[in-house]
Amino acid sequence: MKKLGIAALAGLLSLALVSGVLAQPGMGRGGGRGPGDPSSRMYNPATVETVSGTVESVVQAPGKGASNGVHFTLKTDKETIPVHLGPAWYMEKQEVKPAAGDKVEVTGSRVTDEGKPAIIAAQVKKDGKTLNLRDVNGVPAWAGKGAGKNRR
């Protein structure tokens, strides 16, 4: 009987631990695409800039967790640079969807990703419409309420 009580207690503690981990912000659909997402940690408000150009191609790249990330290549007057948008499941729901050949204006954080320059988009403007992806601190719109409030 004593062994059964210990086993039940161990099971309840395990369940409580797992529930706590799964309830963390950004850990839902999208596999951690909240403040714990690598692109969120890379986002630096001090390096935010706005660039304009033409979308050359749009791709879905494997992301960490359950979702692919959507990226596009932007050709400006000065360079061709990858732009990180967000998880595919989130992008599919948006009205503004950049496509090859589109003229866009991107506001985001210039970062170094795998040794190469890239932009993590906070906002994309296309045809007078705006796609908002991140707040001024880089917290993703798909992260949910309260996500990142303890972010440094």
Side-chain angles (χ1 to χ4, degrees):
M1 184 71 168
K2 191 174 184 181
K3 286 182 182 179
L4 182 61
I6 291 172
L9 181 60
L12 286 173
L13 286 173
S14 296
L15 182 61
L17 286 172
V18 169
S19 297
V21 168
L22 293 176
Q24 295 300 311
M27 293 305 289
R29 189 173 174 195
R33 295 285 183 198
D37 172 32
S39 66
S40 297
R41 287 192 305 267
M42 291 171 46
Y43 193 97
N44 181 353
T47 65
V48 170
E49 62 182 79
T50 299
V51 293
S52 297
T54 304
V55 175
E56 287 195 328
S57 62
V58 179
V59 297
Q60 285 192 29
K64 294 188 189 267
S67 180
N68 289 335
V70 178
H71 308 242
F72 67 76
T73 303
L74 181 68
K75 182 166 180 60
T76 72
D77 292 339
K78 298 179 182 179
E79 65 185 332
T80 299
I81 189 166
V83 176
H84 300 251
L85 299 175
W89 66 264
Y90 181 79
M91 293 301 300
E92 288 168 5
K93 297 177 181 179
Q94 304 311 302
E95 180 182 345
V96 178
K97 294 180 176 121
D102 287 347
K103 303 279 186 201
V104 296
E105 178 183 279
V106 177
T107 299
S109 174
R110 183 174 287 264
V111 300
T112 301
D113 183 27
E114 296 181 5
K116 298 177 183 172
I119 294 176
I120 300 173
Q123 189 176 76
V124 178
K125 292 182 181 178
K126 170 187 158 183
D127 298 329
K129 294 181 181 175
T130 302
L131 169 63
N132 289 305
L133 298 166
R134 292 172 177 81
D135 70 12
V136 296
N137 294 311
V139 177
W142 55 91
K145 285 187 174 184
K149 65 182 173 185
N150 295 323
R151 199 164 174 251
R152 294 168 205 200

